[in-house]
Amino acid sequence: MHYLVGEAMTGGYGDADILHECTIGVDEGEIAVVVGPNGAGKSTAMKAVFGMLGLRSGRVMMDGEDITALKPQERVRKGMGFVPQTNNVFPSLTVLENLEMGAFVRADDFSNTLSQVFELFPVLKEKAVQPAGELSGGQRQQVAVGRALMTQPKVLMLDEPTAGVSPIVMDELFDRIIEVARTGIAVLMVEQNAKQALHIADKGFVLVQGRNKYTDTGKALLADNDVRKAFLGG
Amino acid sequence: MDSLNALVVIANFVVVPGLAYGSQLALGALGVTMVYSVLRFSNFAHGELMSFGAMVTVLLTWWLQAQNIGLSVLPTALIALPIAMVVTVLLALATDKLVFSYYRQKRSESVTYLIVSVGVMFTIGGLIRFIIGPADRVFTDGQRFLLKARAFKKMTGLNEGLAIKTTQGVTIIVAVIVVALIFWFLNKTKTGKSMRAYSDNEDLALLSGINPERVVMITWIITGALAALAGTLYGLDKSYKPFTYLSLLLPIFASAIVGGVGNPVGAIIGGYVIAFSELFITFAYKKVATYMLPAAWAPEGLVQLLSTDYKIAVSFVILLVVLLIRPTGLFAGKTI
Amino acid sequence: MLPQSTHLSSEKKRIYVLFGIMAVLFVIVGQVQSWNLSLAILNLCLISAIMTLGANIQWGYAGIVNFGIMGFAALGGLAGVLVSMPPVQAGWQAGGMSLLGGAVIIVLTSVLSVFVWGRIKHITHWRYWIMTAVILAGYLVMRAIVDPAVEVIESIESAKAGHIGGLNLPILVSWVVGGIFAAGAAYVIGRISLGLRSDYLAIATLGISEIVIYVLKNEDWLARGVKNVNGLPRPVPYEIDLQAEQWVINLASRLDTDVPEMSSIIVKLSYAGLFTIVLLILFWLFETALRSPWGRMMRAIRDNEVAANAMGKHVTAKHLQVFVLGSAVVGLAGAMLTTLDGQFTPASYLPLRFTFLIWIMVIVGGSGNNFGSILGGFVIWFFWIESEPLGLWLMDVLTAPLSETSALRGHLLASAAHMRLMTMGLIMLLMLRFAPQGLIPETKR
């Protein structure tokens, strides 16, 4: 049983189901990656786990508790951090203010978390007083991840964090994500760059048409010939 | 000496009135911009909200005057103003509760809000006329001038006088204080920042645990207070007449749009841009020209680009030009 | 023809009932107050209904937010003056050429600025200043030519003329000309502003309509500004002539009314007849348009602009058609109003009365439905007029327990006259909330 798991999730927008008995999950300190072709329902599965999509059947469990009925905001309070794929910063707010908004629900002193985030993403400290909308794509993603970390989540969910950034920036982002996982946070992410993502993944879920096709460790999936041929370009 | 006289003419007829009128527009535009950036619609009822606030001030001022309570040199309205602001805030919150909140739950389009706000405009306008009637009301008291033209002439030895009305001074000072407070609130407090965050990215604000209903409530509180303030200051400076506030709505929209709707700095600058454009374009430069040019060139006519009858129309023209050339405004806005 | 479904027949029943109630209301006013008043209200109801039809094809068919109805109505009214009044020969002789010169300069400046803009719009730094300079120069030249002429024209018999007068044609011609004036203005306005988002379009059209009124109020040479033009010729006989007619005197004695009253009723009935003819023609045209492929496409665009755009429909071009058409109808109604009043009074054009009240009529009647528009025009105008006596009566009843001399009672009774703004606002808000489709909802076809 995983720390966070969406079990046998079936559902979609409107009448047509996108997910069929789909299961994804992650444990503390681990990185789990969801990959698959376009339209496989990767992001939908992520949204379902976060509660942005109603499920017809299946359930979402976190730390042994059934959270299927909770709204996204309530899940945030339970310790889930979510970084959407787009529009994931407050563009006219400064970097520092973005991070402060991440800690909006916290009543305690969050200066420790803030310095941890600055340690993880030093560039954010440099640009602390600059509006987030003026940053480069890679830096904006760091703001977005940093904002989600400000609640001190137990689970961090990332929807294609490397979409639209250069390969160098991507590698750096992945390094940071590994560091995040080392602090004991469970990281669940959807990735388009399957090969690179599986390299850093403890666990991989390959989805096809809303169903689990392969599930294994990242290494095993990379080594699997079928997977390589079908999804990783040989 | 002549150029000094010319400057004083401009200061007296353009700069001082422009600063006062610009402050009134800026405060009005700030309210429009706040509603726009958080609730995402252009509030046609804002003029009537200003009028309502001014009306409450007028009524309270009369009562205070009857009790012989006053501020000696300053207008009594200044005591009444805070109470009027509270009452206007209550009206704004009631309007939201009874009218706008329903469309928010339905997630209506912004054009629906627009039309609904016209209904609110009628209702509040009717309420005002029902309570105080449509007549013109003067409620200024205290000392009329901070600086009299004659005193200025004596002081400087110039031919031209410079007069500053108490209401103009009060308007400018109050506007500066209030604008400073608003910016402090928006940029330095957690609640203010959460409002800006909400206006920037509603979905992410929800994910961050920001309560939208609270943001909306605070927006109406600020809007109501600003409306009462702007309405009262305008009424003090000119006089209180319910129907003028509908025609004031367009210069206010113009100020907000010129500065970039949703941008509070833009709203303030927009207010002054509109006010000064109105005054400069309709100002008769005859006197200035007489001072500045050799006697032989002295103009016969008023040397006026547009007659003063067109004063408010100037703001409409600027509004149109900005909408057509650069609809995002001078300081591209959309968020607070 | 459409098949007779149960849905349609229930709509028909609704239409009969609602218009039936309306008719009864007019009879009640006729009996309780006076037939003269009842007919006066009816005439303005007819004009309101026509304006509402015009506003409805813009908002109801196409979803265009036009808050400039007042301006188009006023342009129609101006046509009444320019068509029907006798020309002021002295004015034309003194200033006609200069005015034409000024008009030529305006056209030249417009053409020149468009041309210059095309040449300089890629220059980033100075383009706005250059444009401002071009327009300012054109404006100053125009002023230099026109100002002396305006002064002369305005000084000619300023107590009764002081303007250029009109063409001395029958005033009925002005109904068509008013429509053309409004259509021309709408074409220019639509070309430049229909691309704006709805709330900007609303503000822009409101601003333009205010500018139109400002010009009409202040350019005395045109139509005397706030001094008003009185005594426009009529398309129907004058009361004083009717009172001398034998058949009128006979009719009055047969119906047991006095002759002046009778003559006034006949005049109002004649107007009502003319207005009804116009209303019926427009209604027929609009219903035909609504059922045509053109009408279907309009609604398709309204309901999903993105999809329509994707299908290659020229949304803006279609919007321009509707905008011009609707505004022309409003202009026609504006000319009819000036004809009915027999005078042109620029100061009477207020946005509350001429723009927002028409919007309430559209909303209350049922946007997208022509029957609804007509009903909306009737109901709202009826209550706009009758809410005053009704409010007074209501206040009187409500405050009856208070003593005759009570200050509160006095205030409430005095304020009852202002009830109508609030009544209209509340009606609009309640309709939007509980029956956003209006009294006669749009038929889904």
Side-chain angles (χ1 to χ4, degrees):
Chain A
M1 181 56 125
H2 295 297
Y3 179 75
L4 169 75
V5 62
E7 279 177 344
M9 300 183 294
T10 304
Y13 308 98
D15 297 332
D17 285 341
I18 297 173
L19 300 175
H20 307 276
E21 301 272 306
C22 174
T23 297
I24 55 176
V26 64
D27 276 312
E28 287 166 293
E30 266 190 5
I31 299 176
V33 176
V34 183
V35 296
N38 278 335
K42 306 186 294 279
S43 286
T44 312
M46 189 78 128
K47 284 181 180 148
V49 172
F50 191 59
M52 289 161 80
L53 178 78
L55 287 180
R56 280 205 304 114
S57 68
R59 58 178 188 169
V60 182
M61 303 285 290
M62 183 165 156
D63 202 5
E65 189 187 340
D66 190 335
I67 58 167
T68 319
L70 295 189
K71 281 191 218 150
Q73 285 94 312
E74 292 163 332
R75 295 183 200 214
V76 170
R77 283 167 207 266
K78 287 266 175 208
M80 286 171 96
F82 183 71
V83 180
Q85 185 184 343
T86 51
N87 294 329
N88 51 20
V89 298
F90 301 110
S92 80
L93 267 61
T94 65
V95 170
L96 183 60
E97 287 170 339
N98 264 278
L99 298 178
E100 285 172 25
M101 284 304 110
F104 187 81
V105 290
R106 288 178 61 177
D108 57 331
D109 179 22
F110 54 79
S111 52
N112 264 336
T113 322
L114 192 62
S115 43
Q116 280 167 15
V117 170
F118 281 149
E119 224 169 278
L120 191 63
F121 303 115
V123 69
L124 298 189
K125 194 169 188 180
E126 285 167 37
K127 310 251 172 182
V129 292
Q130 209 166 318
E134 293 174 5
L135 302 182
S136 71
Q139 290 166 343
R140 255 209 306 264
Q141 291 295 2
Q142 296 184 23
V143 176
V145 175
R147 187 203 61 82
L149 288 174
M150 287 302 291
T151 46
Q152 288 186 307
K154 299 190 190 81
V155 183
L156 181 64
M157 300 174 61
L158 305 162
D159 193 353
E160 299 203 16
T162 64
V165 303
S166 69
I168 300 169
V169 175
M170 181 176 79
D171 286 343
E172 203 192 312
L173 265 176
F174 280 156
D175 286 346
R176 297 285 166 273
I177 289 165
I178 294 169
E179 278 181 52
V180 170
R182 285 211 186 110
T183 61
I185 294 176
V187 177
L188 178 63
M189 66 177 180
V190 166
E191 256 302 333
Q192 197 73 255
N193 301 304
K195 214 185 227 172
Q196 293 86 336
L198 286 175
H199 271 293
I200 66 161
D202 297 295
K203 208 169 281 144
F205 299 89
V206 181
L207 301 191
V208 175
Q209 292 188 338
R211 292 173 211 278
N212 292 82
K213 181 96 179 184
Y214 304 96
T215 304
D216 211 324
T217 62
K219 257 195 201 114
L221 287 173
L222 280 171
D224 189 316
N225 267 333
D226 292 343
V227 175
R228 288 218 342 227
K229 256 186 219 142
F231 305 108
L232 307 176
Chain B
M1 208 55 172
D2 276 354
S3 55
L4 267 184
N5 270 319
L7 273 181
V8 170
V9 172
I10 293 185
N12 191 37
F13 291 104
V14 178
V15 177
V16 172
L19 280 176
Y21 180 43
S23 307
Q24 292 147 11
L25 290 183
L27 290 173
L30 204 50
V32 166
T33 260
M34 296 285 270
V35 171
Y36 183 85
S37 57
V38 171
L39 295 125
R40 305 188 204 289
F41 72 97
S42 307
N43 185 12
F44 272 74
H46 195 75
E48 296 304 325
L49 203 59
M50 285 168 59
S51 174
F52 182 86
M55 176 196 73
V56 176
T57 310
V58 172
L59 294 175
L60 284 169
T61 305
W62 287 345
W63 183 78
L64 288 167
Q65 283 166 342
Q67 313 296 311
N68 270 324
I69 303 170
L71 286 172
S72 76
V73 293
L74 290 174
T76 312
L78 287 182
I79 312 177
L81 184 55
I83 305 169
M85 285 162 79
V86 172
V87 177
T88 313
V89 164
L90 292 178
L91 177 73
L93 289 174
T95 316
D96 184 69
K97 185 102 190 133
L98 292 173
V99 184
F100 292 117
S101 68
Y102 170 78
Y103 298 94
R104 210 159 44 241
Q105 276 159 23
K106 271 185 61 185
R107 291 189 156 257
S108 297
E109 287 177 58
S110 84
V111 64
T112 309
Y113 283 95
L114 183 86
I115 293 167
V116 168
S117 78
V118 169
V120 174
M121 175 181 87
F122 264 90
T123 313
I124 299 181
L127 186 68
I128 291 165
R129 284 160 181 77
F130 186 70
I131 295 174
I132 201 170
D136 205 345
R137 315 279 182 177
V138 176
F139 62 110
T140 321
D141 54 4
Q143 191 181 307
R144 211 167 126 63
F145 285 98
L146 282 180
L147 177 63
K148 283 186 181 159
R150 199 149 18 106
F152 179 84
K153 282 185 199 167
K154 219 190 230 168
M155 216 160 60
T156 56
L158 291 168
N159 290 339
E160 294 297 331
L162 176 66
I164 301 175
K165 285 197 285 180
T166 312
T167 53
Q168 290 170 331
V170 166
T171 297
I172 296 166
I173 292 166
V174 169
V176 168
I177 294 171
V178 168
V179 167
L181 274 176
I182 298 263
F183 279 91
W184 170 80
F185 171 77
L186 287 177
N187 290 308
K188 298 291 173 204
T189 66
K190 188 177 172 185
T191 312
K193 287 175 194 173
S194 74
M195 277 179 70
R196 284 165 54 220
Y198 181 84
S199 114
D200 242 16
N201 187 338
E202 202 178 318
D203 294 331
L204 198 61
L206 294 177
L207 286 186
S208 306
I210 293 167
N211 179 356
E213 286 305 309
R214 187 155 174 273
V215 169
V216 168
M217 189 180 84
I218 292 164
T219 306
W220 281 117
I221 291 176
I222 297 176
T223 305
L226 280 173
L229 189 65
T232 301
L233 291 177
Y234 183 81
L236 261 183
D237 199 11
K238 313 280 179 345
S239 69
Y240 176 70
K241 201 172 183 185
F243 97 89
T244 52
Y245 286 83
L246 180 57
S247 27
L248 203 55
L249 190 62
L250 272 169
I252 284 174
F253 275 137
S255 309
I257 290 171
V258 166
V261 185
N263 180 335
V265 182
I268 308 232
I269 298 174
Y272 293 107
V273 168
I274 294 293
F276 280 107
S277 314
E278 281 188 13
L279 291 167
F280 270 118
I281 292 179
T282 58
F283 179 60
Y285 288 90
K286 182 181 172 140
K287 237 176 179 178
V288 177
T290 318
Y291 279 118
M292 299 302 288
L293 299 173
W297 293 8
E300 270 176 47
L302 288 170
V303 199
Q304 206 175 11
L305 271 173
L306 263 179
S307 104
T308 29
D309 298 327
Y310 283 111
K311 205 171 129 204
I312 290 192
V314 169
S315 63
F316 306 159
V317 173
I318 297 174
L319 169 72
L320 291 175
V321 171
V322 169
L323 276 181
L324 299 175
I325 307 186
R326 201 185 160 97
T328 51
L330 300 179
F331 308 89
K334 271 203 190 71
T335 52
I336 32 174
Chain C
M1 277 315 288
L2 288 154
Q4 285 283 344
S5 71
T6 48
H7 174 73
L8 260 179
S9 62
S10 88
E11 187 199 328
K12 267 194 179 149
K13 212 153 98 195
R14 200 184 174 96
I15 291 171
Y16 286 135
V17 169
L18 288 169
F19 277 96
I21 293 173
M22 208 58 237
V24 171
L25 286 175
F26 278 111
V27 173
I28 292 176
V29 171
Q31 293 290 349
V32 173
Q33 293 178 287
S34 81
W35 281 103
N36 230 324
L37 178 69
S38 183
L39 285 172
I41 298 175
L42 174 69
N43 279 334
L44 280 163
C45 280
L46 287 164
I47 290 176
S48 301
I50 293 173
M51 281 195 193
T52 310
L53 277 178
N56 179 46
I57 66 164
Q58 294 176 339
W59 167 245
Y61 288 22
I64 298 171
V65 185
N66 176 6
F67 276 6
I69 298 171
M70 168 180 76
F72 298 112
L75 285 175
L78 175 68
V81 175
L82 295 184
V83 165
S84 72
M85 289 304 278
V88 180
Q89 298 294 355
W92 274 110
Q93 272 154 21
M97 286 317 286
S98 307
L99 287 181
L100 285 178
V104 170
I105 297 289
I106 291 177
V107 172
L108 280 181
T109 310
S110 312
V111 172
L112 186 69
S113 51
V114 169
F115 174 77
V116 171
W117 181 249
R119 285 294 168 92
I120 62 168
K121 66 180 167 195
H122 304 296
I123 308 170
T124 36
H125 290 300
W126 293 94
R127 52 182 180 177
Y128 294 126
W129 295 109
I130 296 172
M131 279 308 286
T132 312
V134 169
I135 293 168
L136 193 66
Y139 174 74
L140 290 177
V141 173
M142 188 271 287
R143 281 280 301 269
I145 294 176
V146 166
D147 275 5
V150 165
E151 207 170 309
V152 174
I153 293 172
E154 288 178 2
S155 66
I156 295 168
E157 286 188 88
S158 62
K160 63 186 182 67
H163 71 128
I164 53 174
L167 298 172
N168 214 2
L169 294 170
I171 196 158
L172 284 181
V173 175
S174 80
W175 294 10
V176 178
V177 176
I180 295 172
F181 274 16
Y187 180 79
V188 176
I189 296 165
R191 273 301 292 270
I192 56 180
S193 59
L194 275 179
L196 295 170
R197 335 190 294 252
S198 54
D199 50 349
Y200 283 180
L201 180 64
I203 295 169
T205 45
L206 182 61
I208 292 170
S209 70
E210 289 278 9
I211 292 174
V212 169
I213 302 305
Y214 266 90
V215 171
L216 292 178
K217 272 191 201 165
N218 292 305
E219 298 306 319
D220 290 9
W221 59 269
L222 185 61
R224 303 194 77 221
V226 287
K227 287 182 284 184
N228 304 338
V229 178
N230 298 312
L232 296 179
R234 271 185 179 184
V236 299
Y238 286 83
E239 285 87 346
I240 201 86
D241 299 334
L242 283 175
Q243 283 162 24
E245 294 275 347
Q246 196 52 48
W247 64 272
V248 176
I249 298 167
N250 290 342
L251 196 64
S253 71
R254 188 151 3 122
L255 292 174
D256 204 19
T257 49
D258 55 25
V259 178
E261 173 88 4
M262 195 65 234
S263 66
S264 167
I265 286 176
I266 292 172
V267 168
K268 290 199 169 70
L269 276 176
S270 326
Y271 275 121
L274 284 172
F275 295 164
T276 308
I277 292 169
V278 174
L279 179 65
L280 289 178
I281 293 173
L282 287 173
F283 177 76
W284 178 77
L285 280 174
F286 281 16
E287 275 296 292
T288 313
L290 188 62
R291 287 162 205 270
S292 72
W294 180 86
R296 272 198 299 279
M297 184 181 59
M298 246 358 146
R299 273 169 292 139
I301 292 175
R302 177 196 64 191
D303 294 338
N304 195 339
E305 201 163 305
V306 181
N309 235 336
M311 288 188 308
K313 308 283 186 201
H314 298 288
V315 172
T316 317
K318 298 293 162 203
H319 274 179
L320 188 60
Q321 285 176 1
V322 176
F323 190 67
V324 169
L325 195 59
S327 302
V329 171
V330 173
L332 164 68
M336 290 164 63
L337 181 66
T338 305
T339 307
L340 177 67
D341 289 343
Q343 58 176 355
F344 181 61
T345 50
S348 67
Y349 290 93
L350 299 171
L352 275 185
R353 153 74 180 87
F354 277 93
T355 294
F356 296 120
L357 195 64
I358 304 295
W359 266 86
I360 297 183
M361 292 169 180
V362 174
I363 305 274
V364 168
S367 39
N369 188 311
N370 292 318
F371 279 113
S373 296
I374 295 176
L375 184 72
F378 271 70
V379 170
I380 295 301
W381 186 262
F382 186 87
F383 284 103
W384 181 251
I385 295 300
E386 287 294 330
S387 70
E388 202 172 313
L390 280 177
L392 202 61
W393 172 80
L394 191 71
M395 271 303 156
D396 203 32
V397 173
L398 286 178
T399 59
L402 298 170
S403 81
E404 280 294 321
T405 51
S406 148
L408 181 63
R409 176 158 196 218
H411 175 79
L412 287 175
L413 283 176
S415 303
H418 306 298
M419 290 270 286
R420 63 187 192 185
L421 272 190
M422 202 168 19
T423 317
M424 288 302 144
L426 289 175
I427 288 178
M428 184 173 180
L429 289 176
L430 291 172
M431 283 305 281
L432 282 168
R433 174 74 170 264
F434 298 107
Q437 306 275 310
L439 289 174
I440 308 178
E442 182 183 351
T443 349
K444 297 282 172 235
R445 294 189 165 94

